[in-house]
Amino acid sequence: MRTRPLKVALLGCGVVGSEVARIMTTHAADLAARIGAPVELAGVAVRRPDKVREGIDPALVTTDATALVKRGDIDVVVEVIGGIEPARTLITTAFAHGASVVSANKALIAQDGAALHAAADEHSKDLYYEAAVAGAIPLIRPLRESLAGDKVNRVLGIVNGTTNFILDAMDTTGAGYQEALDEATALGYAEADPTADVEGFDAAAKAAILAGIAFHTRVRLDDVYREGMTEVTAADFASAKEMGCTIKLLAICERAADGGSVTARVHPAMIPLSHPLANVREAYNAVFVESEAAGQLMFYGPGAGGSPTASAVLGDLVAVCRNRIGGATGPGESAYAALPVSPMGDVVTRYHISLDVADKPGVLAQVATVFAEHGVSIDTVRQSGKDGEASLVVVTHRASDAALGGTVEALRKLDTVRGVASIMRVEGE
Ligand code: NDP
Ligand code: HSE
């Protein structure tokens, strides 16, 4: 074992960073044995220097993150501040000053991954970010390395712990949205601004990262269709139950059947209770990867929280330190396929549409005609009516999102349709 320690600068010491520091300290001997050299915490950058941080030597704490990454003797920078700036500049500065980087920052990687990989390459350094997608679950490394010889066609799953926690609570305990969000925040699952979770931005960033790696194609955040879960209601859960389904916020990245393009989307969807994703509870995540040779793989585990996320960060830290000692770098960006990303209108799936209509003769036929005119085939219709008004629930066969959009637009124009109460995609069948 080499005796000179590898020096680590920790940027951020919040929910994730404090657990990274704790594990680095408590597992120091094991980490040294696995890496082949001791790792030393050389500095900890935070915003509030006076906050008491258990297990952290106050002498290591600084508010000058830039000076820390510029020191020149840092081997690895662990960025767990979050957000775009100053994280982006700190990471590029770290490369320029000789350090490799481990980050948990999905927002930044999804937005600027290509430029950050280029900066890492320019300086022959590593950029690893296993913790950026699905917390503790090893997903980036399996896609990037274990499946590097296969052809991935689909990645589908639950990649946001906070929203899964909320939807699970709404479904199983009848908890209100705000109450469940407050609990998820208190447990350290939510982003600094939980809008990123509930409006689907966090899951969309993860989908962009996953699609990029799975399809060897640059997928930008803007390429990912995104709907959050704030509009999911107790009535939607009741409808889902009647169909033998529950509701999950899904991220779905697919290669088109002809292989010539890809799509990436995040939205709430009904899935059958018999589907394994239906049983993913609390802040757990689960992701299915379908590839040509391997078939279907499922990855499951804690998707958020300090300790699970720190596990993924530490795994990257060990890998990067080993590379450093061996004088090597790990895999960089692979975007050679450069497939076009198709718009949401091209996505084909099933839909559950809930309409408020007038309860009188001919209405059902009128509604059915609109579906037929747009080439959307109806699978089932359920009507319940009272006092001249009725609720009509239509479940379609597979249709394109563009066709469904046209159908809904036309339905809204019918005098007999009082409103479109909800539209939800049905997946996993
Ligand atoms: P927190 O808000 O708990 O921690 C952020 C840390 O960054 C704090 O220690 C804060 O300092 C420090 N910080 C903020 N701004 C600066 C700055 N300008 N200079 C130096 N330090 C700064 O966030 P999390 O630990 O929850 O998340 C960190 C990253 O990990 C994010 O990218 C997040 O998306 C990602 N992540 C989080 C998961 C989770 O479950 N929480 C799971 C997977 C990824 P101070 O302590 O003084 O406020
Ligand atoms: N806020 C994120 C989530 C953290 O809830 O999934 C893990 O990436």
Side-chain angles (χ1 to χ4, degrees):
M1 167 145 19
R2 106 182 182 163
T3 48
R4 188 179 79 72
L6 289 151
K7 294 195 177 176
V8 176
L10 183 60
L11 310 184
C13 192
V15 172
V16 179
S18 58
E19 281 299 301
V20 170
R22 183 186 64 76
I23 298 172
M24 277 184 70
T25 310
T26 54
H27 293 19
D30 284 328
L31 291 172
R34 291 170 198 174
I35 291 166
V39 272
E40 177 190 310
L41 195 54
V44 181
V46 297
R47 209 171 15 187
R48 296 165 294 165
D50 298 330
K51 187 176 171 211
V52 176
R53 298 174 199 269
E54 202 185 321
I56 306 273
D57 177 355
L60 295 178
V61 175
T62 175
T63 52
D64 194 347
T66 306
L68 180 58
V69 299
K70 278 186 173 174
R71 261 171 51 167
D73 64 339
I74 300 295
D75 294 284
V76 186
V77 165
V78 174
E79 184 276 308
V80 280
I81 291 176
I84 305 302
E85 286 295 355
R88 175 172 50 196
T89 303
L90 289 168
I91 289 175
T92 50
T93 307
F95 292 139
H97 287 79
S100 283
V101 173
V102 172
S103 174
N105 193 335
K106 50 274 170 136
L108 178 59
I109 303 292
Q111 183 181 302
D112 287 324
L116 293 174
H117 272 296
D121 283 352
E122 186 191 336
H123 297 284
S124 302
K125 296 291 172 287
D126 275 329
L127 171 62
Y128 277 42
Y129 42 87
E130 182 65 69
V133 180
I137 307 174
L139 201 52
I140 303 285
R141 196 165 287 121
L143 280 171
R144 219 186 214 182
E145 298 181 29
S146 319
L147 291 165
D150 204 341
K151 182 180 181 189
V152 175
N153 288 322
R154 194 166 192 239
V155 179
L156 170 149
I158 296 166
V159 295
N160 183 272
T162 302
T163 48
N164 200 59
F165 186 90
I166 299 170
L167 290 170
D168 181 41
M170 286 170 77
D171 188 22
T172 57
T173 67
Y177 162 81
Q178 193 58 49
E179 178 193 348
L181 173 59
D182 290 347
E183 199 180 341
T185 304
L187 289 166
Y189 302 148
E191 294 302 301
D193 176 1
T195 312
D197 296 293
V198 298
E199 294 295 356
F201 292 101
D202 178 81
K206 291 164 176 168
I209 295 170
L210 289 176
I213 297 172
F215 305 135
H216 302 274
T217 285
R218 257 177 215 161
V219 178
R220 294 172 304 117
L221 197 50
D222 289 350
D223 293 327
V224 182
Y225 174 83
R226 177 195 55 79
E227 269 176 42
M229 48 68 66
T230 49
E231 316 238 304
V232 177
T233 61
D236 291 325
F237 275 107
S239 275
K241 269 200 182 95
E242 281 178 31
M243 282 182 62
C245 288
T246 187
I247 299 169
K248 296 290 186 187
L249 186 78
L250 298 184
I252 305 174
C253 313
E254 288 171 309
R255 190 191 291 276
D258 67 2
S261 62
V262 297
T263 53
R265 54 191 163 115
V266 165
H267 53 72
M270 291 189 183
I271 51 166
L273 291 170
S274 56
H275 194 282
L277 288 178
N279 294 312
V280 176
R281 307 283 313 273
E282 300 181 342
Y284 279 77
N285 285 185
V287 178
F288 282 92
V289 176
E290 291 171 20
S291 69
E292 212 166 82
Q296 201 172 65
L297 305 165
M298 183 178 175
F299 299 83
Y300 170 80
S307 170
T309 307
S311 163
V313 171
L314 264 295
D316 278 354
L317 180 63
V318 169
V320 167
C321 287
R322 284 173 177 160
N323 289 346
R324 193 116 179 143
I325 289 176
T329 50
E333 188 193 29
S334 171
Y336 73 91
L339 294 167
V341 185
S342 300
M344 185 60 187
D346 289 2
V347 165
V348 173
T349 188
R350 299 179 65 212
Y351 301 87
H352 174 286
I353 302 119
S354 199
L355 303 170
D356 295 325
V357 297
D359 192 4
K360 58 184 191 187
V363 172
L364 191 54
Q366 233 181 10
V367 167
T369 302
V370 170
F371 276 87
E373 282 170 355
H374 290 82
V376 179
S377 171
I378 293 175
D379 181 21
T380 60
V381 180
R382 204 175 61 239
Q383 181 174 338
S384 51
K386 201 172 139 201
D387 302 333
E389 299 292 311
S391 165
L392 204 58
V393 173
V394 179
V395 181
T396 73
H397 287 295
R398 284 167 64 78
S400 75
D401 222 73
L404 197 278
T407 308
V408 171
E409 209 180 303
L411 286 170
R412 287 191 206 276
K413 289 186 185 145
L414 292 180
D415 289 344
T416 47
V417 173
R418 310 278 190 244
V420 180
S422 89
I423 306 164
M424 200 162 299
R425 296 171 185 90
V426 183
E427 302 286 345
E429 289 181 312

